[in-house]
Amino acid sequence: MSRNSGVLLFALVAAISTPFPPSAAISSAAILPGLEFISPLPGSAQIPPGTSLIIRPGGILDPTSVGAGLLRVLGSSSGIHEGPLRLSDDLRTLTFQPDLPFAFGEQVIVALGAGLRTDHGEAVPPAWSSFSTSGPEREAILYLPGAAESDDEPPPQAGGPGSANVIRVDSLPSTTGEPLPPDFPHVQATVFGPPTPGRLFLSSITLGSVKTPSFLMILENDGTPFFQRKIDTQAIDFKMQPDGRLTYFDRTAKAFYALDTRFAVVDSFRCGNGYVTDGHDLVLLPNGHALLMSYDPELVDLSPLKTGLGFGIAVGLIIQELDQRRNVVFQWRSWDHFKITDSIGRVTSGGGIDYVHGNSIDADPDGNIIISCRHMSEVTKISRSTGEILWRLGGKNNQFTFINDPFAISRQHAVKLLPNGNLVMFDNGNFRLPSFSRAVEYAIDETQKTATLVWQYRLSPDAFGPAFGYVQRFPNGNTLINWGNTTPTLTEVAPDGSIVSELTFDPGIATYRAFRFDWPPPRPAEVTFKPAVINKGAIAGPLLAVIEPVGSNFSAADVLLPTVRLDGTLRADAAMVIQPPDANGDGIPDVTVQFPRVAVDRFLSIGMNRLEVTGSLRDGTVFRGSAELRALAPDGAQTTPGSLQLVSVPGALPVEIGAAGGPARPRTFAVYDIQGRLVKRWQTRGGAGDRASWDGRRADGRRVGSGIYLLRAEDGLPGPAVKVLIAR
């Protein structure tokens, strides 16, 4: 601070009642006794003039102690600032929004006076802080072109395996019966096995110099649109939030929009404090708060990069948390913690150096924030309480020892925390030679600072997506991988590495992320099968399914009968309503549907089976329930240990076989071609049931060709092989 500005500040301080520090203490340093967090940080610079103030003393505050006159704010040019001081819904955080913005290039002093108390009556001591605002040049660089995903060098050619036996979506109507727009992207989809329940969420991005509108889309597994909407700009990150709303980022509006179950816009989310919202990620927290990002271009000294550049533009990263009233209750700036030399490789964006390029946010159970810094090849964990960096994984400032992984993460996307505490991410691999992308999972030991690779997946042959990408893990152990701007667009893989399904856009079209969600969000139902035990292959009456709401969350009359399915595939008979509407006599109306027995048999293996019943409701949502159904061997049939029985439809993939004998222990199965050569051998988990599945692939993941194949058990219980015809 200059001497003149210091004199001016001292004169202004003397004019207000709240005590400020003596003139000798008015500097970039601040006296902060008893404060856990404050934003802007003491001594920070280049703060937008429209910023608000955040103060968190630590602990729960007494709301009655928050009042006018508690906080005084003074600008060296703009003078005293009035505005509302609010206690956020967490009862820990104070926010102050000045009625008028600060002036460009001025020093601001913040003083918290006496009188604030905790919920236990303890006094919060007075505190002082100061920061400086940015100059008017910031307005000229605020709206740089979108930050670059790829490095300055030309991206490698898209590669990787394509799909076989494809279904082109342009020949299929949407599930609503409405014709698709002529410019709706073509989709190629292949299903090899039972995918995880739910539908696929994507938004299309046109690659190259020709830009076209995006489509928001919810797709069935075969690529048929359940929902599609054309957006006359680039739209990314289309997904379902934990509260059931859908969100996506509109690049023209620079905002996230939220949709309800009828796809109507019901809300929007934007960064505060004068920052422009970035579209890479939006996380809605259980308490109704929102995490989002902004890219912050500033004029800085670029000489530390040793590239011959002088004073120029560098793009920083801002992390914000908004409360339910959209007050900014947490803010973190890369300028306060990172150096521009932390970047790996040079990436320009609209004439500026994009040195961080945050592309994902997540929160751990304690509320701490995990961010992915793509251009630093770093994952960073930040304390939600203090804003301090807790650890840095990867990149130049790596604090961890990597175990079982010979490759460093490079230009990663979508770092997310799994329920078991592990981190899963899409590792683009831009700086690996040869280049390849992969999905990886690390077990993180924060005490010993180790990152152990416990799972990874690479396509065979390798695929390389230099930009975009996402990894989503499901409760059943399957993983959905979006391969970025390459082919295939997405792959779902089972825990054993077998491919369950693939989907690919035509060349020149990609998606920033791909997800799978239960949509519409299912309502629980109780299902009872009658009879509960059947003889497989017997000529008998239909299988009845009694469907009853759980907790009266819907009425039996709400069920749209034509939509009811068994395991998502088998349609209930047309004449399906059976009276009375209270089959189990518990006083709650239910609905009973019937499924043809001959068709039910192909869903069953000998022993206990859990089958799912789903359907749509009149309000546009769906219900889901399941129950057990025991299948006995056909009357008179002698089922010997080790014998196999074809369960799936002949010629269909995956091949499902019933394996009699020993469902409580692991089983080993093998596939041979007609010349007796081993194609694949695998083992099922103990307790997984007496059904085995083959996805039509070799041990290395390649698809087998057309022909006859033999499946047999190889676990000490020899029996006859099952002959299977594969027709490609």
mmCIF file of all heavy atoms in Angstrom, residues 33-57:
data_model
loop_
_atom_site.group_PDB
_atom_site.id
_atom_site.type_symbol
_atom_site.label_atom_id
_atom_site.label_comp_id
_atom_site.label_asym_id
_atom_site.label_seq_id
_atom_site.Cartn_x
_atom_site.Cartn_y
_atom_site.Cartn_z
ATOM 1 N N PRO A 33 -7.749 -13.120 14.882
ATOM 2 C CA PRO A 33 -7.899 -14.054 16.008
ATOM 3 C C PRO A 33 -9.279 -14.704 15.976
ATOM 4 O O PRO A 33 -10.299 -14.045 15.786
ATOM 5 C CB PRO A 33 -7.749 -13.136 17.223
ATOM 6 C CG PRO A 33 -8.202 -11.786 16.748
ATOM 7 C CD PRO A 33 -7.772 -11.711 15.313
ATOM 8 N N GLY A 34 -9.295 -16.012 16.128
ATOM 9 C CA GLY A 34 -10.553 -16.714 16.281
ATOM 10 C C GLY A 34 -11.335 -16.962 15.014
ATOM 11 O O GLY A 34 -12.457 -17.472 15.088
ATOM 12 N N LEU A 35 -10.828 -16.610 13.838
ATOM 13 C CA LEU A 35 -11.554 -16.851 12.600
ATOM 14 C C LEU A 35 -11.067 -18.137 11.938
ATOM 15 O O LEU A 35 -9.862 -18.348 11.774
ATOM 16 C CB LEU A 35 -11.403 -15.686 11.630
ATOM 17 C CG LEU A 35 -12.066 -14.367 11.999
ATOM 18 C CD1 LEU A 35 -12.026 -13.404 10.832
ATOM 19 C CD2 LEU A 35 -13.493 -14.571 12.474
ATOM 20 N N GLU A 36 -12.012 -18.976 11.526
ATOM 21 C CA GLU A 36 -11.678 -20.216 10.837
ATOM 22 C C GLU A 36 -11.464 -19.981 9.347
ATOM 23 O O GLU A 36 -10.579 -20.569 8.721
ATOM 24 C CB GLU A 36 -12.810 -21.216 11.053
ATOM 25 C CG GLU A 36 -12.612 -22.565 10.389
ATOM 26 C CD GLU A 36 -13.795 -23.488 10.639
ATOM 27 O OE1 GLU A 36 -14.821 -23.340 9.951
ATOM 28 O OE2 GLU A 36 -13.684 -24.354 11.536
ATOM 29 N N PHE A 37 -12.302 -19.105 8.757
ATOM 30 C CA PHE A 37 -12.217 -18.870 7.317
ATOM 31 C C PHE A 37 -12.728 -17.476 7.017
ATOM 32 O O PHE A 37 -13.677 -16.986 7.641
ATOM 33 C CB PHE A 37 -13.072 -19.896 6.565
ATOM 34 C CG PHE A 37 -13.123 -19.684 5.075
ATOM 35 C CD1 PHE A 37 -12.061 -20.076 4.276
ATOM 36 C CD2 PHE A 37 -14.220 -19.098 4.477
ATOM 37 C CE1 PHE A 37 -12.102 -19.880 2.905
ATOM 38 C CE2 PHE A 37 -14.269 -18.898 3.109
ATOM 39 C CZ PHE A 37 -13.210 -19.290 2.318
ATOM 40 N N ILE A 38 -12.067 -16.815 6.055
ATOM 41 C CA ILE A 38 -12.525 -15.516 5.575
ATOM 42 C C ILE A 38 -12.230 -15.418 4.089
ATOM 43 O O ILE A 38 -11.220 -15.940 3.606
ATOM 44 C CB ILE A 38 -11.861 -14.355 6.352
ATOM 45 C CG1 ILE A 38 -12.473 -13.014 5.932
ATOM 46 C CG2 ILE A 38 -10.345 -14.366 6.171
ATOM 47 C CD1 ILE A 38 -12.067 -11.855 6.818
ATOM 48 N N SER A 39 -13.131 -14.810 3.351
ATOM 49 C CA SER A 39 -12.943 -14.600 1.918
ATOM 50 C C SER A 39 -13.468 -13.210 1.568
ATOM 51 O O SER A 39 -14.558 -12.836 2.020
ATOM 52 C CB SER A 39 -13.688 -15.666 1.111
ATOM 53 O OG SER A 39 -13.601 -15.413 -0.279
ATOM 54 N N PRO A 40 -12.683 -12.473 0.768
ATOM 55 C CA PRO A 40 -11.367 -12.785 0.211
ATOM 56 C C PRO A 40 -10.308 -12.967 1.301
ATOM 57 O O PRO A 40 -10.401 -12.372 2.370
ATOM 58 C CB PRO A 40 -11.053 -11.570 -0.664
ATOM 59 C CG PRO A 40 -12.377 -10.961 -0.989
ATOM 60 C CD PRO A 40 -13.211 -11.183 0.237
ATOM 61 N N LEU A 41 -9.310 -13.795 0.972
ATOM 62 C CA LEU A 41 -8.237 -14.049 1.920
ATOM 63 C C LEU A 41 -7.471 -12.764 2.211
ATOM 64 O O LEU A 41 -7.325 -11.895 1.344
ATOM 65 C CB LEU A 41 -7.273 -15.099 1.359
ATOM 66 C CG LEU A 41 -7.711 -16.556 1.407
ATOM 67 C CD1 LEU A 41 -6.600 -17.445 0.871
ATOM 68 C CD2 LEU A 41 -8.083 -16.978 2.823
ATOM 69 N N PRO A 42 -6.948 -12.620 3.412
ATOM 70 C CA PRO A 42 -6.153 -11.437 3.745
ATOM 71 C C PRO A 42 -4.982 -11.263 2.782
ATOM 72 O O PRO A 42 -4.242 -12.200 2.505
ATOM 73 C CB PRO A 42 -5.664 -11.731 5.163
ATOM 74 C CG PRO A 42 -6.678 -12.687 5.724
ATOM 75 C CD PRO A 42 -7.110 -13.520 4.564
ATOM 76 N N GLY A 43 -4.856 -10.061 2.255
ATOM 77 C CA GLY A 43 -3.752 -9.754 1.366
ATOM 78 C C GLY A 43 -3.958 -10.166 -0.071
ATOM 79 O O GLY A 43 -3.074 -9.959 -0.906
ATOM 80 N N SER A 44 -5.110 -10.776 -0.414
ATOM 81 C CA SER A 44 -5.325 -11.222 -1.790
ATOM 82 C C SER A 44 -5.550 -10.023 -2.703
ATOM 83 O O SER A 44 -5.991 -8.953 -2.275
ATOM 84 C CB SER A 44 -6.503 -12.191 -1.860
ATOM 85 O OG SER A 44 -7.672 -11.603 -1.332
ATOM 86 N N ALA A 45 -5.264 -10.223 -3.974
ATOM 87 C CA ALA A 45 -5.357 -9.150 -4.968
ATOM 88 C C ALA A 45 -6.206 -9.609 -6.146
ATOM 89 O O ALA A 45 -6.569 -10.781 -6.264
ATOM 90 C CB ALA A 45 -3.955 -8.747 -5.432
ATOM 91 N N GLN A 46 -6.512 -8.660 -7.008
ATOM 92 C CA GLN A 46 -7.287 -8.923 -8.227
ATOM 93 C C GLN A 46 -8.678 -9.493 -7.909
ATOM 94 O O GLN A 46 -9.192 -10.351 -8.616
ATOM 95 C CB GLN A 46 -6.524 -9.880 -9.155
ATOM 96 C CG GLN A 46 -5.154 -9.412 -9.578
ATOM 97 C CD GLN A 46 -5.217 -8.161 -10.445
ATOM 98 O OE1 GLN A 46 -6.163 -7.955 -11.181
ATOM 99 N NE2 GLN A 46 -4.208 -7.307 -10.340
ATOM 100 N N ILE A 47 -9.294 -9.005 -6.835
ATOM 101 C CA ILE A 47 -10.635 -9.447 -6.466
ATOM 102 C C ILE A 47 -11.662 -8.640 -7.261
ATOM 103 O O ILE A 47 -11.568 -7.403 -7.319
ATOM 104 C CB ILE A 47 -10.873 -9.260 -4.952
ATOM 105 C CG1 ILE A 47 -9.805 -10.032 -4.149
ATOM 106 C CG2 ILE A 47 -12.269 -9.708 -4.567
ATOM 107 C CD1 ILE A 47 -9.822 -11.520 -4.383
ATOM 108 N N PRO A 48 -12.666 -9.267 -7.867
ATOM 109 C CA PRO A 48 -13.673 -8.508 -8.623
ATOM 110 C C PRO A 48 -14.380 -7.483 -7.734
ATOM 111 O O PRO A 48 -14.697 -7.770 -6.568
ATOM 112 C CB PRO A 48 -14.646 -9.590 -9.098
ATOM 113 C CG PRO A 48 -13.851 -10.848 -9.105
ATOM 114 C CD PRO A 48 -12.888 -10.715 -7.967
ATOM 115 N N PRO A 49 -14.644 -6.304 -8.250
ATOM 116 C CA PRO A 49 -15.312 -5.274 -7.429
ATOM 117 C C PRO A 49 -16.695 -5.693 -6.939
ATOM 118 O O PRO A 49 -17.180 -5.150 -5.943
ATOM 119 C CB PRO A 49 -15.404 -4.071 -8.377
ATOM 120 C CG PRO A 49 -14.285 -4.280 -9.353
ATOM 121 C CD PRO A 49 -14.195 -5.760 -9.548
ATOM 122 N N GLY A 50 -17.339 -6.656 -7.591
ATOM 123 C CA GLY A 50 -18.661 -7.095 -7.181
ATOM 124 C C GLY A 50 -18.661 -8.194 -6.143
ATOM 125 O O GLY A 50 -19.690 -8.844 -5.944
ATOM 126 N N THR A 51 -17.536 -8.417 -5.491
ATOM 127 C CA THR A 51 -17.436 -9.537 -4.563
ATOM 128 C C THR A 51 -18.269 -9.314 -3.308
ATOM 129 O O THR A 51 -18.557 -8.183 -2.904
ATOM 130 C CB THR A 51 -15.966 -9.775 -4.166
ATOM 131 O OG1 THR A 51 -15.862 -11.026 -3.500
ATOM 132 C CG2 THR A 51 -15.464 -8.670 -3.239
ATOM 133 N N SER A 52 -18.669 -10.410 -2.689
ATOM 134 C CA SER A 52 -19.255 -10.381 -1.352
ATOM 135 C C SER A 52 -18.183 -10.834 -0.367
ATOM 136 O O SER A 52 -17.095 -11.254 -0.761
ATOM 137 C CB SER A 52 -20.480 -11.294 -1.268
ATOM 138 O OG SER A 52 -20.103 -12.653 -1.475
ATOM 139 N N LEU A 53 -18.482 -10.762 0.914
ATOM 140 C CA LEU A 53 -17.546 -11.156 1.958
ATOM 141 C C LEU A 53 -18.086 -12.377 2.683
ATOM 142 O O LEU A 53 -19.302 -12.513 2.890
ATOM 143 C CB LEU A 53 -17.326 -10.017 2.945
ATOM 144 C CG LEU A 53 -16.966 -8.649 2.348
ATOM 145 C CD1 LEU A 53 -16.828 -7.617 3.451
ATOM 146 C CD2 LEU A 53 -15.693 -8.741 1.517
ATOM 147 N N ILE A 54 -17.193 -13.276 3.084
ATOM 148 C CA ILE A 54 -17.559 -14.493 3.796
ATOM 149 C C ILE A 54 -16.715 -14.565 5.064
ATOM 150 O O ILE A 54 -15.484 -14.443 5.002
ATOM 151 C CB ILE A 54 -17.307 -15.745 2.939
ATOM 152 C CG1 ILE A 54 -17.965 -15.613 1.562
ATOM 153 C CG2 ILE A 54 -17.816 -17.001 3.652
ATOM 154 C CD1 ILE A 54 -17.511 -16.663 0.559
ATOM 155 N N ILE A 55 -17.350 -14.790 6.195
ATOM 156 C CA ILE A 55 -16.638 -14.914 7.469
ATOM 157 C C ILE A 55 -17.200 -16.124 8.206
ATOM 158 O O ILE A 55 -18.414 -16.246 8.391
ATOM 159 C CB ILE A 55 -16.786 -13.652 8.335
ATOM 160 C CG1 ILE A 55 -16.143 -12.448 7.636
ATOM 161 C CG2 ILE A 55 -16.166 -13.859 9.715
ATOM 162 C CD1 ILE A 55 -16.339 -11.140 8.377
ATOM 163 N N ARG A 56 -16.303 -17.029 8.618
ATOM 164 C CA ARG A 56 -16.710 -18.188 9.405
ATOM 165 C C ARG A 56 -15.817 -18.248 10.649
ATOM 166 O O ARG A 56 -14.657 -18.653 10.566
ATOM 167 C CB ARG A 56 -16.596 -19.467 8.591
ATOM 168 C CG ARG A 56 -17.205 -20.682 9.298
ATOM 169 C CD ARG A 56 -17.060 -21.959 8.485
ATOM 170 N NE ARG A 56 -17.612 -21.807 7.159
ATOM 171 C CZ ARG A 56 -16.914 -21.987 6.030
ATOM 172 N NH1 ARG A 56 -15.638 -22.307 6.096
ATOM 173 N NH2 ARG A 56 -17.491 -21.841 4.868
ATOM 174 N N PRO A 57 -16.346 -17.862 11.805
ATOM 175 C CA PRO A 57 -15.520 -17.885 13.032
ATOM 176 C C PRO A 57 -15.160 -19.293 13.471
ATOM 177 O O PRO A 57 -14.134 -19.496 14.112
ATOM 178 C CB PRO A 57 -16.414 -17.189 14.071
ATOM 179 C CG PRO A 57 -17.389 -16.396 13.264
ATOM 180 C CD PRO A 57 -17.631 -17.207 12.025
#
